[in-house]
Structure formats: structure tokens, C-alpha cells
């Protein structure tokens, strides 16, 4: 480089002009910029040398002023079109200056250099020259630029809408906003899960760039808690958002196609495949459920035959009247596996317009059903049975409390209820004679309406036992029919448990403690396409068939049984049924986990809201006796929770507790034991 040469170099990406002054050692040169500041450069750091004359540092501003009128990026498109038309393969700043400005003086050449070096569209650098891109390349780059500009505009508008919502305004989110919001939700879910599980946050897992931009724009830190709070502030999540459900694969909404098919079923009911349904509308039919139940899938009847025998009828809703295997409704029900019951409400297996409408057994309406007619012998065993596709007309919709009251009052107007209860007790006694094992523990029923949480303890009342026995009876009959006719069904069995000896059991306090001791010995039930003994129920064969609106395995039983009753080929072969059962099992396992964790969350939230309440609890069993960790039962709530004790306690001992610290979101619960004197 020669003294006085005007050169360009970059400082943190910005162009800078300076004049070469003197050498700095063997390989470097000192250059002086317009401010008089000296810089030491190597020749490789020089990005352009202005040819034609020498300069002084004080002349740089004047030179830049002379250059400025020629800096017009739009002129590059004209030059590119001319070069393409002429077939020129490359151009340098001097040649471009001649082409654009008809001059090759230093200001014009430098202006051409600036245009070329800044351009990302029409030219690409190759050595000391710039080659014009092809028309197709330019078109593609223009498209990419337009897309980038559109995204930038969308992002700016997205930021503006976020600020408006946080300021209290109501906005309509655009489609592209939803994609960004979902990305934020995914991050929040992932990170909150890390915190909830007590795990360490992955140091390499940084927040997405978009999230960082949003949080920086709002002046918030990009922590999991801050991101979650942002979603709450935006009204996208509630304070008690069900993160367990959101993290799961359980769909909360039905696809539009499925909803359309459901509506078509209502508007134009499909033909009924069971043309010879047995008309049982003469029977008085009782449906017995919780008051909040909207999917009514079973009803009961009782009659005395001409020969004096008593006959029980268990009527089960017939959703297969409205669908066939592999149609849209069936595939969606299979994907869901079951209705999900949460304290905040349910997520149905079928669209609500069907599940709570024509599929349900609605009081006063003619309903399609699958009816199990059963005659018991004097001991309670099944003497004879029949299964029919039927039509019934539910007479009364009763709650469990209604039935308990009717039985206590001994209403003469409804002798059927008392007769069914008597046969249910006979049936229970028979099952116990066959080895059935009854385990009863208080169960919490948690309901959330708005911001109010209510917890009721479900007792093992006469009415609940009555309904349970009738459902078990229908399950036995369905299993026996399948076994007798070699039909592949989702049979349920349970291996024989190794229960504690009578001497060991008697050492445990009677009631919940003893029941808990027995429960921990019970093996899990098993599902198979071949029948096997169900030890817990005391039955040689059993399948679930009484909840086809809300359990897909029950729906499978209906598909198979009804096809056989019509004399048709079974819709599922043994292998096909096994494959479907496996897929449904994995789904229902996840549902069980979500239901359990959601109930736990709301149970903890209830305790958090009652910090001064003193609860009476029962020590049920040891979880880790060596560390003093026990399972307790809060008797007024039916909640079973772990608690570490720092003193010796005995199983069955009653203790008084306060919830000292509760964080439902982080699944933290710390009890404080209180004395009777402190109450």
C-alpha cells in the first residue's frame, strides 16, 4: 500500500474510510480516519482501495459527500438487466461505474463498490469480480426477501397485539399469531415439567429466539415461571391451567369432520342394522347415576314372570346403532379410548351431541339398547340369560341419593327398586362364596366450578353397591355368551392374590387400614381375547360391556356381540381385536395418569386454600417405614396423601394435621402435625 491511498475497512461490520500513513512493522500499516484516529491494518483487512489519486484524512468527508448522490440501490436492477441482456459474465466497480454513471472517477467507482458489496440480490462476489445472478435466482431471492419482510411485519404486529392485550384491550389473534403462541406454550410446558419433576434444567436448552425477543420486548425474563405468567396475563392459559392434560396426547377438541358426521347422524339417522329389536318399552326402567352424569349408559328393570320367577334386566346404551367399525366416529372413539373425567369437566369419547343425546338412555324417550335378561337361582348364580338388541323407554332418572332414600323409606309405589336391591345383595353374597374380594376405601369426588372447589367423600352406599352388582352381572353374562360361542372379546381377568393370613389381617385395624393392606396385595387385572378367571370378582369369565359410550373396550364387546346376535361375521378377528386392544390400552393408561394427577392438583389446591383448617387423618400404611414415610387418609376429604413422620406412629393411629405449605403447581405438600391442645 502507498502512502496517501484512500482505503476502506470494517470496524464491527461498519464501513470506515482512512488514508494510508506509514508502515507498522513488516506486514501492517497505520491508516488515519477522518477523526484523526490511527488504525493498524493488514492488507487483508482492506476491503477496497480508491484508485486514481492520493488523499489526506481531512478530505474524507468531502469525498463521501461526492459519493452520496450515486448511492441508489435501485440502479443495480437496471445494471443487472443490461448485463444480462449483453451477456456479460462479470463486472467490477470501475466497469459498473462506467455502465451506471458514464464516469470512472474515484467517487463513482467507490459508489459502485458500495452498491455491489451491499447487494444480496442481483450479484454475487467471485474473486475480484461480481457475477450477475440468473433471472430465476433473482426471482427466488426476491420471493425469499418478500417472505422475510412479511414475517418481520407479522412479528411486529404480533408484538403490538401482545402489548395491547397486556394493556387491557381485546384483540383478535391472527392465524400466524397462533403459531407463535403455540411455540411459547410448548416451551412453557417443557420447562415447567422440568421444574415440577425436580429435575435440573438442561443448560443447553435455551429459549427459542422468538421467545427471547418477546420477553425482551416486554421487559420480562425468559424463565419458565415468567413465560407461564405471560400466557396467563394474555388470557391464553388460566391460573390453574391443566398442564398435565396439555402435555398429554389426549385431544380436547373433535376434528371438524367428526363433528360434521355426528351432526349428519342427528339430521339423517343411519339405517338400524338390528331390524328385529325386542320391544321392552313395557318395562319400568330406572337409570341411576350421579346428578352431574350426562352420558347415561345403563338402566335396570325387574319383572315377575308367569311362572313366578323373578327376572332382572340390565339395559345398556347402544351407541353402535349410530356407527359401524372403521367409520369416522369409530376411529375417533378408538383414538380417544375413553371419556376423560376431570374435576373441571369431562372430555367425551363421542361428540356430546351424540353421547348425551341419542346414544344415552334418556328418560321418557324410546332408546335403542343392548339388554341382558337374567334369572338367578336361589343362591344368586346365573340360572339362565338372554341378550337382545332392544328398544326401551327409561321411566325414571334417579340419583344414588334418591335410591338410598327410596330404600330407607320402603316406598310401596316402587317395589322394583327394593326387589333389585335384594337380588343385588343375593348376588354379592354368591360372588363372595366364589372367592370374590371386596375392598372399600373412602374415595374423594372433586368438582371445580368456576373458582370453587368442592370435595365429597363417595361412600359405599347401598345404591352404589346395587348398581355395581348389576354391572358385574351384565359383564359376566356377556363373558359367558362370548365363551359359549367362541367369540373373541376383550375379556378381563385377575390372578389369584396372595392375601395376608387371617392372623396377619386381624393385627391391622378394621376399616380403611385393613382394606389398604389387602389392596396392596391385589394384582393388576389383565385383558385378553380369551376368558380367564377374575379372582377379585369371583367370576370364571368376565368382560366389561356396560359403558360403551365412554369406554372403547366396552364398545368392542358390543360390536362383537351384536354381530353374532344378527348371525353376521364378526367385525374383528381375534388378531385384529388383540391389535386394537393394545392401542386402546396405551391410550387409557395415559388417561388414568392424567385423571390421577389432575385430581391430585385440585386436592392440593383445596388444601392450599384452607391453611388454618385442622384435618383428622388416619395412618393407612407405610410407604418407607425406615424413613417414617407413611400414606395417610384425610377422612373428611377421602384424600390419600404421603406424609413423613418424625416420631413413631402406628398404623390406624389418628393424627391432626394442618397443610403448612402447599404448591400444587410444583406438586409440593408439607403437613404440620398439631396436638389436641392446639385445636
Amino acid at each position: 500500500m502507498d502512502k496517501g491511498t484512500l482505503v476502506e475497512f470494517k470496524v464491527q461490520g461498519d464501513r470506515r474510510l482512512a488514508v494510508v500513513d506509514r508502515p507498522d512493522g513488516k506486514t501492517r500499516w497505520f491508516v488515519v480516519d477522518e477523526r484523526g484516529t490511527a488504525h493498524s491494518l493488514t492488507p487483508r483487512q482492506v476491503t477496497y482501495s480508491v484508485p486514481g489519486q492520493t488523499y489526506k484524512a481531512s478530505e474524507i468527508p468531502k469525498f463521501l459527500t461526492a459519493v452520496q448522490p450515486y448511492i441508489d440501490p435501485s440502479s443495480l436492477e437496471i445494471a443487472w438487466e443490461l448485463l444480462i441482456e449483453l451477456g456479460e459474465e462479470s463486472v467490477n466497480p470501475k466497469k459498473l461505474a462506467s455502465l451506471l454513471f458514464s464516469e470512472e472517477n474515484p467517487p463513482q467507482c467507490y459508489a459502485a463498490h458500495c452498491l455491489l458489496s451491499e447487494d444480496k440480490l442481483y450479484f454475487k462476489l467471485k474473486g475480484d469480480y461480481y457475477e450477475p445472478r440468473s433471472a430465476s435466482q433473482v426471482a427466488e431471492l426476491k420471493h425469499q426477501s418478500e417472505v422475510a419482510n412479511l414475517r418481520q411485519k407479522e412479528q411486529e404486529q404480533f408484538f403490538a397485539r401482545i402489548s395491547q392485550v397486556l394493556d387491557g384491550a381485546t384483540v383478535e389473534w391472527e392465524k400466524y399469531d397462533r403459531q407463535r403462541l403455540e411455540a411459547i406454550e410448548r416451551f412453557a410446558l417443557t420447562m415447567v415439567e422440568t421444574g415440577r419433576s425436580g429435575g435440573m434444567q438442561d443448560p443447553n436448552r435455551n429459549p427459542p429466539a422468538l421467545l427471547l425477543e418477546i420477553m425482551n420486548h416486554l421487559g420480562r425474563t425468559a424463565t419458565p415461571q415468567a413465560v407461564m405468567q405471560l400466557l396467563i396475563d394474555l388470557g391464553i392459559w388460566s391460573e390453574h391451567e391443566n398442564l398435565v392434560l396439555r402435555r398429554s396426547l389426549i385431544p380436547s377438541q373433535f376434528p371438524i369432520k367428526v363433528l360434521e358426521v355426528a351432526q349428519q347422524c342427528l339430521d339423517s339417522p343411519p339405517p338400524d342394522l338390528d331390524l328385529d329389536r325386542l320391544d321392552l318399552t313395557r318395562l319400568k326402567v330406572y337409570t341411576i347415576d350421579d346428578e352431574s352424569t350426562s352420558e347415561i349408559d345403563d338402566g335396570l328393570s325387574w319383572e315377575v314372570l308367569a311362572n313366578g320367577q323373578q327376572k332382572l334386566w340390565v339395559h345398556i346404551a347402544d351407541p353402535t346403532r349410530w356407527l359401524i367399525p372403521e367409520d369416522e366416529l369409530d376411529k375417533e372413539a378408538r383414538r380417544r379410548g375413553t371419556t376423560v373425567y376431570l374435576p373441571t369437566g369431562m372430555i367425551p369419547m363421542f361428540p356430546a351431541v351424540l353421547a348425551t343425546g341419542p346414544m344415552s338412555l334418556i328418560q321418557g324417550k324410546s332408546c335403542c339398547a343392548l339388554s341382558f335378561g337374567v334369572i338367578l337361582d336361589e343362591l344368586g348364580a346365573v340360572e339362565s340369560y338372554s341378550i337382545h338388541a332392544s328398544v326401551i323407554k327409561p321411566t325414571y332418572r334417579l340419583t344414588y341419593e334418591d335410591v338410598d332414600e327410596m330404600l330407607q323409606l320402603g316406598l310401596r309405589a316402587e317395589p322394583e327398586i327394593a326387589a333389585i336391591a335384594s337380588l343385588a345383595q343375593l348376588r354379592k353374597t354368591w360372588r363372595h362364596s366364589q372367592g370374590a374380594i371386596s375392598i372399600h376405601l373412602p374415595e374423594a369426588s372433586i368438582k371445580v366450578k368456576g373458582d370453587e372447589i368442592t370435595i365429597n367423600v363417595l361412600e359405599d352406599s347401598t345404591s352404589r353397591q346395587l348398581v355395581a352388582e348389576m354391572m358385574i352381572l351384565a359383564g359376566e353374562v356377556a363373558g359367558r355368551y362370548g365363551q359359549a360361542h367362541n367369540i373373541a372379546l376383550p375379556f378381563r381377568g385377575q390372578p389369584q392374590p396372595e392375601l395376608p393370613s387371617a392372623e396377619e389381617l386381624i393385627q391391622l385395624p378394621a376399616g380403611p387400614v385393613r382394606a389398604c393392606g389387602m389392596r396392596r396385595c391385589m394384582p393388576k387385572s389383565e385383558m385378553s381375547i380369551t376368558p380367564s378367571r377374575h379372582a377379585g370378582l369371583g367370576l370364571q369369565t368376565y368382560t366389561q360391556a356396560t359403558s360403551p359410550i365412554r369406554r372403547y373396550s366396552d364398545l368392542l364387546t358390543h360390536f362383537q356381540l351384536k354381530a353374532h346376535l344378527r348371525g353376521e361375521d364378526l367385525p374383528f378377528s381375534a388378531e385384529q381385536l388383540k391389535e386394537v386392544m393394545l392401542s386402546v390400552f396405551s391410550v387409557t393408561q395415559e388417561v388414568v395418569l392424567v385423571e390421577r394427577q389432575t385430581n391430585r392438583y385440585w386436592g392440593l389446591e383445596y388444601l392450599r386454600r384452607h391453611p388454618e383448617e385442622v384435618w383428622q387423618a388416619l395412618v393407612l400404611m407405610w410407604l418407607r417405614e425406615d424413613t417414617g414415610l407413611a400414606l395417610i387418609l384425610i377422612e373428611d376429604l377421602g384424600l390419600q396423601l404421603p406424609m413423613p413422620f418424625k416420631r413413631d406412629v402406628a398404623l390406624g393411629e389418628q393424627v391432626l394435621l394442618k397443610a403448612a405449605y402447599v404448591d400444587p403447581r410444583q406438586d409440593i405438600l408439607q403437613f404440620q402435625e398439631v396436638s389436641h391442645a392446639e385445636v
Side-chain angles (χ1 to χ4, degrees), residues 504-534:
E504 291 173 308
L505 281 177
I506 203 127
Q507 293 177 15
L508 296 174
V513 177
R514 189 175 296 174
C516 193
M518 294 176 65
R519 181 183 64 181
R520 69 187 306 180
C521 299
M522 297 298 291
K524 290 183 178 180
S525 62
E526 300 169 346
M527 194 179 290
S528 171
I529 60 171
T530 54
S532 62
R533 175 173 167 76
H534 195 297

Side-chain angles (χ1 to χ4, degrees), residues 447-614:
K447 302 291 183 184
V448 178
K449 190 172 184 180
D451 194 49
E452 183 181 354
I453 309 171
T454 57
I455 301 182
N456 294 312
V457 181
L458 298 180
E459 300 292 348
D460 190 32
S461 66
T462 302
S463 61
R464 291 184 184 275
Q465 291 181 32
L466 179 158
V467 171
E469 283 300 329
M470 294 300 101
M471 299 306 105
I472 293 170
L473 175 61
E476 181 190 3
V477 169
R480 287 177 62 169
Y481 185 91
Q483 184 175 24
H485 296 89
N486 198 28
I487 303 171
L489 294 176
F491 292 99
R492 286 186 174 271
Q494 186 180 44
Q496 190 66 34
E498 295 183 10
L499 294 175
S501 65
E503 292 77 13
E504 291 173 308
L505 281 177
I506 203 127
Q507 293 177 15
L508 296 174
V513 177
R514 189 175 296 174
C516 193
M518 294 176 65
R519 181 183 64 181
R520 69 187 306 180
C521 299
M522 297 298 291
K524 290 183 178 180
S525 62
E526 300 169 346
M527 194 179 290
S528 171
I529 60 171
T530 54
S532 62
R533 175 173 167 76
H534 195 297
L537 297 178
L539 300 177
Q540 295 305 314
T541 181
Y542 176 72
T543 184
Q544 289 181 319
T546 57
S547 298
I549 303 177
R550 58 187 180 88
R551 267 195 316 244
Y552 191 80
S553 60
D554 296 42
L555 192 72
L556 284 174
T557 299
H558 278 230
F559 276 136
Q560 298 289 82
L561 290 180
K562 287 185 64 187
H564 189 271
L565 289 170
R566 289 192 298 263
E568 298 174 357
D569 292 337
L570 300 180
F572 298 96
S573 67
E575 285 304 312
Q576 288 172 331
L577 189 69
K578 186 187 296 185
E579 185 178 338
V580 173
M581 285 164 53
L582 284 173
S583 68
V584 171
F585 177 76
S586 64
V587 174
T588 53
Q589 287 293 99
E590 183 175 36
V591 169
V592 168
L593 181 63
V594 168
E595 289 177 339
R596 183 184 300 138
Q597 291 185 352
T598 303
N599 274 283
R600 179 176 171 83
Y601 174 91
W602 286 107
L604 295 188
E605 177 61 17
Y606 185 89
L607 292 174
R608 188 191 69 80
R609 296 185 186 188
H610 297 81
E612 298 305 317
E613 188 80 29
V614 176

Side-chain angles (χ1 to χ4, degrees), residues 322-567:
W322 303 92
L323 67 153
I324 58 175
E326 302 300 333
D327 70 4
E328 291 291 336
L329 291 171
D330 174 56
K331 287 189 287 188
E332 182 64 19
R334 188 183 305 176
R335 184 168 75 99
R336 292 167 176 263
T338 181
T339 291
V340 185
Y341 291 97
L342 304 173
T344 49
M346 71 169 188
I347 304 172
M349 186 172 78
F350 288 108
V353 292
L354 292 178
T356 63
M359 285 183 177
S360 280
L361 303 182
I362 301 174
Q363 179 182 347
K365 292 190 175 182
S366 293
C367 304
C368 293
L370 186 64
S371 295
F372 297 80
V374 187
I375 295 174
L376 302 178
D377 65 18
E378 66 279 2
L379 297 177
V382 174
E383 181 176 292
S384 63
Y385 68 85
S386 59
I387 305 175
H388 309 271
S390 65
V391 178
I392 64 170
K393 198 170 194 176
T395 315
Y396 297 112
R397 178 181 176 178
L398 304 175
T399 65
Y400 291 108
E401 291 75 19
D402 292 334
V403 174
D404 285 328
E405 186 176 356
M406 291 168 70
L407 290 172
Q408 288 170 7
L409 295 175
L411 293 182
R412 293 183 178 181
E414 304 296 334
E416 293 87 352
I417 289 290
I420 295 171
S422 176
L423 291 172
Q425 183 58 48
L426 179 68
R427 177 76 183 157
K428 182 179 179 180
T429 302
W430 176 81
R431 285 196 306 106
H432 277 263
S433 72
Q434 303 301 303
I437 302 166
S438 293
I439 299 174
H440 301 298
L441 283 165
E443 183 181 348
S445 173
I446 306 176
K447 302 291 183 184
V448 178
K449 190 172 184 180
D451 194 49
E452 183 181 354
I453 309 171
T454 57
I455 301 182
N456 294 312
V457 181
L458 298 180
E459 300 292 348
D460 190 32
S461 66
T462 302
S463 61
R464 291 184 184 275
Q465 291 181 32
L466 179 158
V467 171
E469 283 300 329
M470 294 300 101
M471 299 306 105
I472 293 170
L473 175 61
E476 181 190 3
V477 169
R480 287 177 62 169
Y481 185 91
Q483 184 175 24
H485 296 89
N486 198 28
I487 303 171
L489 294 176
F491 292 99
R492 286 186 174 271
Q494 186 180 44
Q496 190 66 34
E498 295 183 10
L499 294 175
S501 65
E503 292 77 13
E504 291 173 308
L505 281 177
I506 203 127
Q507 293 177 15
L508 296 174
V513 177
R514 189 175 296 174
C516 193
M518 294 176 65
R519 181 183 64 181
R520 69 187 306 180
C521 299
M522 297 298 291
K524 290 183 178 180
S525 62
E526 300 169 346
M527 194 179 290
S528 171
I529 60 171
T530 54
S532 62
R533 175 173 167 76
H534 195 297
L537 297 178
L539 300 177
Q540 295 305 314
T541 181
Y542 176 72
T543 184
Q544 289 181 319
T546 57
S547 298
I549 303 177
R550 58 187 180 88
R551 267 195 316 244
Y552 191 80
S553 60
D554 296 42
L555 192 72
L556 284 174
T557 299
H558 278 230
F559 276 136
Q560 298 289 82
L561 290 180
K562 287 185 64 187
H564 189 271
L565 289 170
R566 289 192 298 263

Side-chain angles (χ1 to χ4, degrees), residues 70-82:
Y70 301 100
I71 304 294
D72 178 10
S74 63
S75 62
L76 269 183
E77 183 174 8
I78 299 170
W80 172 76
E81 290 174 347
L82 287 172

